[in-house]
Coordinates of all heavy atoms in Angstrom, one line a residue:
M677 N 11.9 277.2 329.2 CA 12.7 275.9 329.1 C 11.7 274.8 329.0 O 11.3 274.2 330.0 CB 13.6 275.8 330.3 CG 14.7 276.7 330.3 SD 16.4 276.0 330.2 CE 16.2 274.5 331.1
N678 N 11.3 274.5 327.9 CA 10.3 273.4 327.7 C 11.0 272.1 327.2 O 11.4 272.1 326.1 CB 9.2 273.8 326.8 CG 8.0 272.9 326.8 OD1 7.9 272.0 327.7 ND2 7.2 273.0 325.8
K679 N 11.2 271.2 328.1 CA 11.7 269.9 327.6 C 10.7 269.2 326.9 O 9.5 269.5 326.9 CB 12.2 269.1 328.8 CG 13.4 269.7 329.5 CD 14.4 268.6 329.9 CE 14.0 267.8 331.1 NZ 15.0 266.9 331.6
N680 N 11.1 268.1 326.3 CA 10.1 267.3 325.6 C 9.0 266.8 326.6 O 9.3 266.6 327.8 CB 10.7 266.0 325.0 CG 11.7 266.4 323.9 OD1 11.5 267.4 323.3 ND2 12.6 265.5 323.6
A681 N 7.8 266.6 326.1 CA 6.8 266.1 326.9 C 7.2 264.8 327.5 O 7.9 264.0 326.9 CB 5.5 265.9 326.1
D682 N 6.8 264.5 328.7 CA 7.1 263.3 329.4 C 6.6 262.1 328.6 O 5.5 262.1 328.1 CB 6.5 263.2 330.8 CG 7.4 263.9 331.8 OD1 8.6 263.8 331.7 OD2 6.8 264.5 332.7
L683 N 7.5 261.1 328.5 CA 7.1 259.8 328.0 C 6.2 259.2 329.0 O 6.3 259.5 330.2 CB 8.3 258.9 327.8 CG 9.2 259.4 326.7 CD1 10.6 258.8 326.9 CD2 8.7 259.1 325.4
K684 N 5.4 258.3 328.6 CA 4.5 257.6 329.5 C 4.7 256.1 329.4 O 4.8 255.5 328.4 CB 3.0 257.9 329.2 CG 2.6 259.3 329.4 CD 1.1 259.5 329.3 CE 0.7 260.9 329.6 NZ 0.9 261.8 328.5
V685 N 4.7 255.5 330.6 CA 4.8 254.1 330.7 C 3.5 253.6 331.5 O 3.2 254.2 332.5 CB 6.1 253.6 331.5 CG1 6.0 252.2 331.9 CG2 7.3 253.9 330.6
F686 N 2.9 252.6 330.9 CA 1.7 252.1 331.5 C 1.9 250.8 332.2 O 2.6 249.9 331.6 CB 0.5 252.0 330.5 CG 0.2 253.3 329.9 CD1 0.7 253.8 328.7 CD2 -0.7 254.2 330.5 CE1 0.4 255.0 328.1 CE2 -1.1 255.4 330.0 CZ -0.5 255.8 328.8
I687 N 1.3 250.6 333.3 CA 1.3 249.2 333.9 C 0.0 248.6 333.3 O -1.1 249.1 333.6 CB 1.3 249.3 335.4 CG1 2.6 249.9 335.8 CG2 1.2 247.9 336.0 CD1 2.7 250.1 337.3
S688 N 0.2 247.7 332.5 CA -0.9 247.1 331.7 C -2.0 246.5 332.6 O -1.7 245.9 333.6 CB -0.4 246.1 330.7 OG -1.4 245.6 329.9
N689 N -3.2 246.7 332.1 CA -4.3 246.0 332.9 C -5.0 244.9 332.0 O -6.1 244.5 332.3 CB -5.4 247.0 333.4 CG -6.0 247.8 332.3 OD1 -5.5 247.7 331.1 ND2 -7.0 248.6 332.6
R690 N -4.3 244.6 330.9 CA -4.8 243.5 330.1 C -3.7 242.8 329.4 O -2.6 243.4 329.3 CB -5.9 243.9 329.2 CG -5.4 245.0 328.2 CD -6.6 245.5 327.3 NE -6.1 246.6 326.5 CZ -5.6 246.5 325.3 NH1 -5.5 245.3 324.7 NH2 -5.2 247.5 324.6
D691 N -3.9 241.7 328.8 CA -2.9 241.0 328.0 C -2.6 241.7 326.7 O -3.6 242.2 326.1 CB -3.3 239.6 327.7 CG -3.3 238.7 329.0 OD1 -2.6 239.1 329.9 OD2 -4.0 237.8 329.0
S692 N -1.4 241.9 326.4 CA -1.1 242.5 325.1 C 0.2 241.9 324.6 O 0.8 240.9 325.2 CB -1.0 244.0 325.2 OG -0.1 244.3 326.1
K693 N 0.7 242.4 323.5 CA 1.9 241.8 322.8 C 2.7 242.9 322.3 O 2.2 243.8 321.7 CB 1.4 240.9 321.7 CG 2.4 239.8 321.3 CD 1.6 238.9 320.3 CE 2.6 238.1 319.5 NZ 1.9 237.2 318.6
C694 N 4.0 242.8 322.4 CA 4.9 243.8 321.9 C 4.9 243.8 320.4 O 5.0 242.7 319.8 CB 6.3 243.7 322.4 SG 7.5 244.8 321.7
E695 N 4.6 244.9 319.8 CA 4.5 245.0 318.3 C 5.9 244.7 317.6 O 5.9 244.5 316.4 CB 4.0 246.3 317.8 CG 2.6 246.6 318.3 CD 1.5 245.8 317.6 OE1 1.8 245.3 316.4 OE2 0.5 245.5 318.1
E696 N 6.9 244.9 318.4 CA 8.2 244.8 317.7 C 8.9 243.4 317.9 O 9.2 242.8 316.9 CB 9.2 245.9 318.3 CG 10.3 246.3 317.3 CD 10.8 247.7 317.5 OE1 10.0 248.6 317.3 OE2 11.9 247.8 317.8
C697 N 9.0 243.0 319.1 CA 9.6 241.7 319.3 C 8.6 240.5 319.5 O 9.0 239.4 319.6 CB 10.6 241.7 320.5 SG 9.8 241.9 322.1
G698 N 7.4 240.9 319.7 CA 6.3 239.8 319.8 C 6.2 239.2 321.2 O 5.5 238.3 321.4
E699 N 6.9 239.8 322.1 CA 6.8 239.3 323.5 C 5.4 239.4 324.0 O 4.8 240.4 323.9 CB 7.8 240.0 324.4 CG 8.0 239.4 325.7 CD 9.0 240.1 326.6 OE1 10.0 240.6 326.1 OE2 8.7 240.2 327.8
E700 N 5.0 238.3 324.7 CA 3.7 238.4 325.3 C 3.8 239.3 326.6 O 4.7 239.0 327.4 CB 3.2 237.0 325.8 CG 3.1 236.0 324.6 CD 1.8 236.2 323.8 OE1 1.0 237.0 324.2 OE2 1.8 235.6 322.7
L701 N 2.9 240.2 326.7 CA 2.9 241.1 327.8 C 1.6 240.9 328.6 O 0.6 241.4 328.1 CB 3.1 242.5 327.3 CG 4.3 242.8 326.5 CD1 4.2 244.1 325.7 CD2 5.6 242.8 327.3
G702 N 1.7 240.3 329.7 CA 0.5 240.0 330.5 C 0.1 241.2 331.3 O 0.7 242.3 331.2
R703 N -0.9 241.0 332.1 CA -1.3 242.0 333.0 C -0.2 242.4 333.9 O 0.6 241.6 334.3 CB -2.4 241.5 334.0 CG -3.8 241.5 333.3 CD -4.6 240.5 334.0 NE -5.9 240.4 333.3 CZ -7.0 241.0 333.7 NH1 -7.0 241.7 334.8 NH2 -8.1 240.9 333.0
K704 N -0.1 243.7 334.3 CA 0.9 244.2 335.1 C 2.3 244.4 334.4 O 3.3 244.7 335.1 CB 1.1 243.5 336.4 CG -0.2 243.4 337.2 CD 0.0 243.2 338.6 CE -1.4 243.3 339.4 NZ -1.6 242.2 340.2
S705 N 2.3 244.1 333.1 CA 3.6 244.3 332.4 C 3.7 245.8 332.3 O 2.7 246.6 332.2 CB 3.5 243.8 331.0 OG 3.4 242.4 331.1
W706 N 5.0 246.3 332.1 CA 5.2 247.7 331.9 C 5.3 247.9 330.4 O 6.2 247.3 329.8 CB 6.5 248.1 332.6 CG 6.3 248.1 334.1 CD1 5.5 247.2 334.8 CD2 6.8 249.1 335.1 NE1 5.6 247.6 336.2 CE2 6.4 248.7 336.3 CE3 7.7 250.2 334.9 CZ2 6.8 249.4 337.5 CZ3 8.0 250.9 336.0 CH2 7.6 250.5 337.3
I707 N 4.5 248.7 329.9 CA 4.5 248.9 328.4 C 4.5 250.4 328.1 O 4.2 251.2 328.9 CB 3.2 248.3 327.8 CG1 2.0 248.9 328.4 CG2 3.2 246.8 328.0 CD1 0.7 248.5 327.7
T708 N 4.8 250.6 326.8 CA 4.7 252.0 326.3 C 3.8 251.9 325.1 O 3.7 250.9 324.4 CB 6.0 252.6 325.9 OG1 6.6 251.8 324.9 CG2 7.0 252.7 327.0
L709 N 3.2 253.0 324.8 CA 2.3 253.1 323.6 C 2.9 254.1 322.7 O 3.1 255.2 323.1 CB 0.9 253.5 324.0 CG 0.2 252.5 325.0 CD1 -1.1 253.2 325.5 CD2 -0.1 251.2 324.3
K710 N 3.1 253.7 321.4 CA 3.6 254.6 320.5 C 2.6 254.7 319.4 O 2.1 253.7 318.9 CB 4.9 254.1 319.9 CG 6.0 254.1 320.9 CD 7.2 254.9 320.5 CE 8.1 255.1 321.7 NZ 9.5 254.7 321.4
E711 N 2.3 255.9 319.0 CA 1.2 256.1 318.0 C 1.4 255.3 316.7 O 0.5 254.6 316.3 CB 1.2 257.6 317.6 CG 0.3 258.4 318.5 CD 0.3 259.9 318.2 OE1 0.4 260.2 317.0 OE2 0.2 260.7 319.1
E712 N 2.6 255.4 316.2 CA 2.8 254.7 314.9 C 3.1 253.2 315.1 O 2.9 252.4 314.1 CB 4.0 255.4 314.2 CG 5.4 255.2 314.7 CD 5.7 256.2 315.9 OE1 4.8 256.7 316.6 OE2 6.9 256.4 316.1
K713 N 3.4 252.8 316.3 CA 3.8 251.4 316.5 C 2.9 250.5 317.3 O 2.9 249.3 317.3 CB 5.2 251.2 317.0 CG 6.3 251.7 316.1 CD 7.6 251.5 316.7 CE 8.8 251.9 315.8 NZ 10.0 252.1 316.5
G714 N 2.1 251.2 318.2 CA 1.3 250.4 319.1 C 2.0 250.1 320.4 O 2.9 250.9 320.8
V715 N 1.8 248.9 320.9 CA 2.3 248.6 322.2 C 3.8 248.1 322.1 O 4.1 247.3 321.2 CB 1.5 247.4 322.8 CG1 2.1 246.9 324.1 CG2 0.1 247.8 323.0
L716 N 4.6 248.6 322.9 CA 6.0 248.2 322.9 C 6.4 247.8 324.3 O 6.0 248.4 325.3 CB 7.0 249.3 322.5 CG 7.0 249.7 321.0 CD1 8.0 250.7 320.8 CD2 7.2 248.5 320.1
C717 N 7.3 246.7 324.5 CA 7.8 246.4 325.8 C 8.9 247.5 326.0 O 9.4 248.2 325.1 CB 8.4 245.0 325.8 SG 9.8 244.7 324.7
L718 N 9.4 247.5 327.3 CA 10.3 248.6 327.6 C 11.7 248.4 326.9 O 12.4 249.3 326.6 CB 10.5 248.7 329.1 CG 9.4 249.2 329.9 CD1 9.8 249.5 331.3 CD2 8.7 250.4 329.3
S719 N 12.1 247.1 326.7 CA 13.4 247.0 326.0 C 13.3 247.4 324.5 O 14.2 248.1 324.0 CB 14.0 245.6 326.1 OG 13.0 244.6 326.2
C720 N 12.2 247.2 323.8 CA 12.1 247.7 322.5 C 11.9 249.2 322.5 O 12.3 249.9 321.5 CB 10.9 247.1 321.8 SG 11.1 245.3 321.4
A721 N 11.4 249.8 323.5 CA 11.3 251.2 323.6 C 12.6 251.9 324.1 O 12.6 253.1 324.3 CB 10.1 251.6 324.5
D722 N 13.6 251.1 324.3 CA 14.9 251.6 324.8 C 14.8 252.2 326.2 O 15.4 253.2 326.4 CB 15.5 252.6 323.9 CG 16.2 251.9 322.7 OD1 16.7 250.7 322.9 OD2 16.3 252.5 321.6
M723 N 13.9 251.6 327.0 CA 13.7 252.2 328.3 C 14.0 251.2 329.4 O 13.7 251.5 330.6 CB 12.3 252.7 328.4 CG 12.1 254.0 327.5 SD 10.3 254.3 327.3 CE 9.9 255.0 328.9
D724 N 14.6 250.1 329.1 CA 14.7 249.1 330.1 C 15.9 249.4 331.0 O 16.2 248.6 332.0 CB 14.8 247.7 329.5 CG 15.9 247.5 328.5 OD1 16.5 248.6 328.1 OD2 16.3 246.4 328.1
H725 N 16.7 250.4 330.7 CA 17.8 250.8 331.6 C 17.4 251.8 332.7 O 18.2 252.1 333.5 CB 18.9 251.3 330.8 CG 18.6 252.6 330.1 ND1 17.6 252.6 329.1 CD2 19.0 253.9 330.2 CE1 17.5 253.9 328.6 NE2 18.3 254.6 329.3
L726 N 16.1 252.2 332.6 CA 15.7 253.2 333.5 C 15.3 252.7 334.9 O 14.9 251.5 335.0 CB 14.5 254.0 332.9 CG 14.8 254.7 331.6 CD1 13.5 255.4 331.1 CD2 15.9 255.7 331.7
L727 N 15.5 253.5 335.9 CA 15.1 253.0 337.2 C 13.8 253.7 337.7 O 13.5 254.8 337.3 CB 16.2 253.5 338.2 CG 17.6 252.9 338.1 CD1 18.4 253.4 339.2 CD2 17.4 251.4 338.3
F728 N 13.1 252.9 338.4 CA 11.8 253.4 338.9 C 12.0 254.2 340.2 O 12.6 253.7 341.2 CB 10.9 252.2 339.1 CG 9.5 252.6 339.6 CD1 8.7 253.5 338.9 CD2 9.0 252.1 340.8 CE1 7.5 253.9 339.4 CE2 7.8 252.4 341.3 CZ 7.0 253.4 340.5
L729 N 11.4 255.3 340.2 CA 11.4 256.2 341.4 C 10.0 256.4 341.8 O 9.2 257.1 341.1 CB 12.0 257.5 341.0 CG 12.3 258.6 342.0 CD1 13.3 258.1 343.0 CD2 12.8 259.8 341.3
P730 N 9.5 255.7 342.9 CA 8.1 255.8 343.3 C 7.8 257.3 343.7 O 8.6 258.0 344.1 CB 8.0 254.9 344.5 CG 9.3 254.1 344.5 CD 10.3 254.9 343.8
S731 N 6.5 257.6 343.5 CA 6.1 259.0 343.9 C 6.2 259.1 345.4 O 6.2 258.2 346.1 CB 4.6 259.1 343.6 OG 4.3 258.9 342.2
G732 N 6.4 260.3 345.8 CA 6.4 260.5 347.3 C 7.5 261.5 347.7 O 7.3 262.4 348.5
D733 N 8.7 261.4 347.1 CA 9.7 262.3 347.4 C 9.8 263.4 346.3 O 10.5 263.3 345.3 CB 11.1 261.5 347.5 CG 12.2 262.4 348.1 OD1 12.1 263.6 347.9 OD2 13.1 261.8 348.7
A734 N 9.2 264.5 346.6 CA 9.0 265.6 345.6 C 10.4 266.1 345.2 O 10.7 266.4 344.0 CB 8.1 266.7 346.1
A735 N 11.2 266.3 346.2 CA 12.5 267.0 345.9 C 13.4 266.0 345.0 O 14.0 266.5 344.0 CB 13.3 267.3 347.2
L736 N 13.4 264.8 345.4 CA 14.2 263.8 344.6 C 13.6 263.7 343.2 O 14.4 263.6 342.2 CB 14.2 262.5 345.3 CG 15.0 261.4 344.7 CD1 16.5 261.8 344.7 CD2 14.9 260.1 345.5
T737 N 12.3 263.7 343.1 CA 11.7 263.6 341.8 C 12.0 264.7 340.9 O 12.4 264.6 339.8 CB 10.1 263.5 342.0 OG1 9.8 262.4 342.7 CG2 9.4 263.5 340.6
R738 N 12.0 265.9 341.5 CA 12.3 267.1 340.7 C 13.7 267.1 340.3 O 14.1 267.4 339.1 CB 12.0 268.3 341.6 CG 11.7 269.6 340.8 CD 11.1 270.7 341.6 NE 11.7 270.8 342.9 CZ 11.1 270.7 344.1 NH1 9.8 270.5 344.1 NH2 11.7 270.9 345.2
R739 N 14.6 266.7 341.2 CA 16.0 266.8 340.9 C 16.4 265.7 339.8 O 17.1 266.0 338.8 CB 16.8 266.5 342.1 CG 18.3 267.0 342.0 CD 19.0 266.9 343.3 NE 19.0 265.5 343.8 CZ 18.7 265.2 345.1 NH1 18.4 266.1 345.9 NH2 18.8 263.9 345.5
S740 N 15.9 264.5 340.0 CA 16.3 263.5 339.0 C 15.7 263.8 337.6 O 16.3 263.5 336.6 CB 15.9 262.1 339.5 OG 14.5 262.1 339.8
R741 N 14.6 264.4 337.6 CA 13.9 264.7 336.4 C 14.7 265.8 335.6 O 14.8 265.8 334.4 CB 12.6 265.3 336.7 CG 11.6 265.1 335.6 CD 10.3 265.4 336.2 NE 9.3 265.5 335.1 CZ 8.1 265.7 335.4 NH1 7.7 265.8 336.6 NH2 7.2 265.9 334.4
K742 N 15.3 266.7 336.4 CA 16.1 267.7 335.8 C 17.4 267.2 335.2 O 17.8 267.6 334.1 CB 16.5 268.7 336.9 CG 16.9 270.1 336.4 CD 16.9 271.1 337.5 CE 18.2 271.9 337.4 NZ 18.4 272.6 338.7
H743 N 18.0 266.2 335.8 CA 19.3 265.6 335.4 C 19.1 264.5 334.4 O 20.1 264.2 333.7 CB 20.1 265.2 336.6 CG 20.5 266.3 337.5 ND1 21.3 267.3 337.0 CD2 20.2 266.6 338.7 CE1 21.5 268.2 338.0 NE2 20.8 267.8 339.0
S744 N 18.0 263.9 334.4 CA 17.9 262.7 333.5 C 17.5 263.2 332.1 O 16.6 264.0 331.9 CB 16.8 261.8 334.0 OG 16.7 260.6 333.3
R745 N 18.2 262.7 331.1 CA 17.8 263.1 329.7 C 16.5 262.5 329.3 O 15.9 263.0 328.4 CB 18.9 262.7 328.7 CG 20.2 263.6 328.8 CD 21.3 262.9 328.1 NE 21.6 261.7 328.8 CZ 22.5 260.8 328.4 NH1 23.2 261.1 327.3 NH2 22.7 259.7 329.0
L746 N 16.2 261.4 329.9 CA 15.1 260.7 329.5 C 14.3 260.4 330.8 O 14.8 259.8 331.8 CB 15.5 259.4 328.9 CG 14.5 258.5 328.2 CD1 13.8 259.2 327.1 CD2 15.1 257.2 327.8
S747 N 13.0 260.7 330.8 CA 12.2 260.3 332.0 C 10.8 260.0 331.5 O 10.4 260.5 330.5 CB 12.2 261.4 333.0 OG 11.5 262.6 332.5
A748 N 10.2 259.1 332.3 CA 8.9 258.7 331.9 C 8.0 258.6 333.1 O 8.4 258.2 334.2 CB 8.9 257.3 331.2
V749 N 6.8 259.0 332.9 CA 5.8 258.9 334.0 C 5.2 257.5 334.0 O 4.9 257.0 332.9 CB 4.7 260.0 333.8 CG1 3.6 259.9 334.9 CG2 5.2 261.3 333.7
V750 N 5.1 256.9 335.1 CA 4.5 255.6 335.2 C 3.1 255.7 335.7 O 2.8 256.3 336.7 CB 5.3 254.7 336.1 CG1 4.7 253.3 336.2 CG2 6.8 254.6 335.7
L751 N 2.2 255.1 334.9 CA 0.8 255.3 335.2 C 0.1 253.9 335.3 O 0.5 253.0 334.5 CB 0.1 256.0 334.0 CG 0.6 257.5 333.8 CD1 0.1 258.0 332.5 CD2 0.1 258.4 334.9
K752 N -0.8 253.8 336.2 CA -1.5 252.6 336.4 C -3.0 252.9 336.4 O -3.4 253.8 337.0 CB -1.1 251.9 337.7 CG -1.6 250.6 337.9 CD -1.0 250.1 339.2 CE -1.8 248.9 339.7 NZ -1.5 248.6 341.1
W753 N -3.8 252.0 335.7 CA -5.2 252.2 335.7 C -5.8 251.9 337.0 O -5.6 250.8 337.6 CB -5.8 251.3 334.6 CG -7.3 251.5 334.5 CD1 -8.2 250.6 334.9 CD2 -8.0 252.6 333.9 NE1 -9.5 251.0 334.6 CE2 -9.4 252.3 334.0 CE3 -7.6 253.8 333.3 CZ2 -10.4 253.1 333.6 CZ3 -8.6 254.6 332.9 CH2 -10.0 254.3 333.0
S754 N -6.6 252.8 337.5 CA -7.3 252.5 338.8 C -8.8 252.2 338.4 O -9.5 253.0 337.8 CB -7.3 253.7 339.7 OG -8.3 253.6 340.7
R755 N -9.2 250.9 338.7 CA -10.5 250.5 338.4 C -11.5 251.3 339.2 O -12.6 251.7 338.7 CB -10.7 249.1 338.8 CG -10.4 248.2 337.6 CD -10.7 246.8 338.0 NE -9.8 245.9 337.3 CZ -10.1 244.6 337.1 NH1 -11.2 244.1 337.5 NH2 -9.3 243.9 336.4
S756 N -11.2 251.5 340.5 CA -12.2 252.2 341.3 C -12.4 253.6 340.9 O -13.5 254.1 340.9 CB -11.8 252.1 342.8 OG -10.5 252.5 342.9
R757 N -11.3 254.3 340.5 CA -11.5 255.7 340.2 C -11.6 255.9 338.7 O -11.8 257.0 338.2 CB -10.2 256.4 340.6 CG -10.1 256.4 342.1 CD -9.1 257.4 342.6 NE -9.1 257.4 344.1 CZ -8.0 257.1 344.8 NH1 -6.9 256.8 344.2 NH2 -8.1 257.0 346.1
K758 N -11.5 254.8 337.9 CA -11.6 254.9 336.4 C -10.7 256.0 335.8 O -11.2 256.7 334.9 CB -13.1 255.2 336.1 CG -14.1 254.2 336.5 CD -15.1 253.8 335.4 CE -16.1 252.7 335.7 NZ -15.9 251.9 336.9
R759 N -9.5 256.0 336.2 CA -8.6 256.8 335.6 C -7.2 256.3 335.9 O -7.0 255.5 336.8 CB -8.7 258.3 336.0 CG -8.5 258.5 337.5 CD -8.7 260.0 337.8 NE -8.7 260.2 339.3 CZ -7.6 260.5 340.0 NH1 -6.4 260.5 339.4 NH2 -7.7 260.7 341.3
Y760 N -6.2 256.8 335.1 CA -4.8 256.5 335.3 C -4.3 257.2 336.5 O -4.5 258.4 336.6 CB -4.0 256.7 334.1 CG -4.2 255.7 333.0 CD1 -5.0 255.9 331.9 CD2 -3.6 254.5 333.2 CE1 -5.1 255.0 331.0 CE2 -3.7 253.5 332.2 CZ -4.5 253.7 331.1 OH -4.7 252.8 330.2
E761 N -3.5 256.6 337.3 CA -2.9 257.2 338.5 C -1.4 257.1 338.4 O -0.9 256.1 338.0 CB -3.4 256.6 339.8 CG -4.9 256.7 339.9 CD -5.3 256.5 341.3 OE1 -5.0 255.4 341.9 OE2 -6.1 257.3 341.9
R762 N -0.8 258.1 338.7 CA 0.6 258.2 338.7 C 1.3 257.4 339.8 O 1.0 257.6 340.9 CB 1.0 259.7 338.8 CG 2.4 260.0 338.5 CD 2.6 261.5 338.8 NE 4.0 261.7 338.8 CZ 4.5 262.6 337.9 NH1 3.8 263.3 337.1 NH2 5.8 262.8 337.8
Q763 N 2.2 256.5 339.4 CA 2.9 255.7 340.4 C 4.3 256.2 340.7 O 4.8 255.8 341.7 CB 3.0 254.2 339.8 CG 1.7 253.6 339.3 CD 0.8 253.4 340.5 OE1 1.1 252.7 341.5 NE2 -0.4 254.0 340.4
G764 N 4.8 256.9 339.8 CA 6.2 257.4 340.0 C 6.8 257.7 338.6 O 6.1 258.0 337.6
L765 N 8.1 257.7 338.6 CA 8.9 258.2 337.5 C 10.0 257.2 337.1 O 10.6 256.6 338.0 CB 9.5 259.5 337.9 CG 9.8 260.6 336.9 CD1 8.5 261.0 336.2 CD2 10.4 261.8 337.6
L766 N 10.2 257.0 335.8 CA 11.4 256.2 335.4 C 12.4 257.2 335.0 O 12.2 258.1 334.2 CB 11.1 255.3 334.2 CG 10.3 254.0 334.5 CD1 9.9 253.4 333.2 CD2 11.2 253.1 335.4
V767 N 13.6 257.1 335.6 CA 14.7 258.1 335.2 C 16.0 257.3 335.0 O 16.1 256.1 335.4 CB 14.9 259.1 336.3 CG1 13.7 260.0 336.5 CG2 15.3 258.4 337.7
E768 N 17.0 258.0 334.4 CA 18.3 257.4 334.3 C 19.0 257.3 335.6 O 18.9 258.1 336.4 CB 19.1 258.2 333.3 CG 18.6 258.1 331.9 CD 19.3 259.0 330.9 OE1 19.3 260.2 331.2 OE2 19.8 258.5 329.9
E769 N 19.8 256.2 335.7 CA 20.4 255.9 337.0 C 21.3 257.0 337.5 O 21.3 257.4 338.7 CB 21.2 254.6 336.9 CG 21.6 254.1 338.2 CD 22.2 252.7 338.1 OE1 22.3 252.2 336.9 OE2 22.6 252.2 339.1
F770 N 22.0 257.6 336.6 CA 23.0 258.6 337.1 C 22.3 259.9 337.6 O 22.9 260.7 338.3 CB 24.0 259.0 336.0 CG 23.4 259.9 334.9 CD1 23.3 261.3 335.1 CD2 22.9 259.4 333.7 CE1 22.7 262.1 334.1 CE2 22.4 260.2 332.8 CZ 22.3 261.5 333.0
A771 N 21.0 260.0 337.3 CA 20.3 261.2 337.7 C 19.9 261.1 339.2 O 19.5 262.2 339.8 CB 19.1 261.4 336.9
L772 N 20.0 260.0 339.7 CA 19.5 259.8 341.1 C 20.6 260.2 342.1 O 21.8 260.0 341.9 CB 19.1 258.4 341.4 CG 17.8 258.0 340.8 CD1 17.5 256.5 341.1 CD2 16.7 258.8 341.3
Ligands
LIG1304 ZN1 9.5 244.2 322.6

């Protein structure tokens, strides 16, 4: 049972701009990256209805991921560790 690969949402560490609506996205904005389109804000990516579920509750994370048709991993760049770190999951509200 292989669902689609998780979508990824990044907490931006620099200023950028949504390629679709042109919204200015500053540091700490939540963005998605699409190969063909570049940077998108969450509303243009149709993900602004999702709820954030912080990492920590493994059972809840597993369950909501199973029930949510759409889920995305939220990643934030860690300067000290020089890599993206998982902050939690975006899932559909009814899955919680
Ligand atoms: Zn946009």
Side-chain angles (χ1 to χ4, degrees):
M677 290 242 325
N678 191 16
K679 288 219 291 186
N680 292 338
D682 273 327
L683 294 161
K684 293 192 177 75
V685 168
F686 297 95
I687 300 176
S688 182
N689 58 353
R690 61 186 172 90
D691 292 334
S692 54
K693 200 169 161 182
C694 175
E695 295 290 334
E696 206 154 297
C697 69
E699 192 180 321
E700 300 283 348
L701 303 165
R703 280 158 187 259
K704 303 204 175 129
S705 298
W706 291 35
I707 59 170
T708 61
L709 298 171
K710 296 236 165 125
E711 275 177 33
E712 69 279 23
K713 288 181 181 165
V715 177
L716 288 183
C717 67
L718 292 194
S719 31
C720 289
D722 280 332
M723 289 166 73
D724 57 347
H725 62 295
L726 300 178
L727 290 183
F728 179 57
L729 183 65
S731 303
D733 188 332
L736 186 60
T737 298
R738 204 166 42 237
R739 199 173 59 226
S740 52
R741 205 167 167 176
K742 197 168 137 196
H743 293 297
S744 184
R745 284 164 300 178
L746 187 65
S747 65
V749 180
V750 180
L751 297 166
K752 187 177 165 195
W753 179 254
S754 164
R755 267 185 212 206
S756 50
R757 297 194 177 117
K758 299 224 177 351
R759 62 180 170 88
Y760 283 103
E761 298 196 311
R762 192 184 171 119
Q763 306 295 303
L765 207 61
L766 282 174
V767 294
E768 288 173 306
E769 191 171 2
F770 75 83
L772 288 180

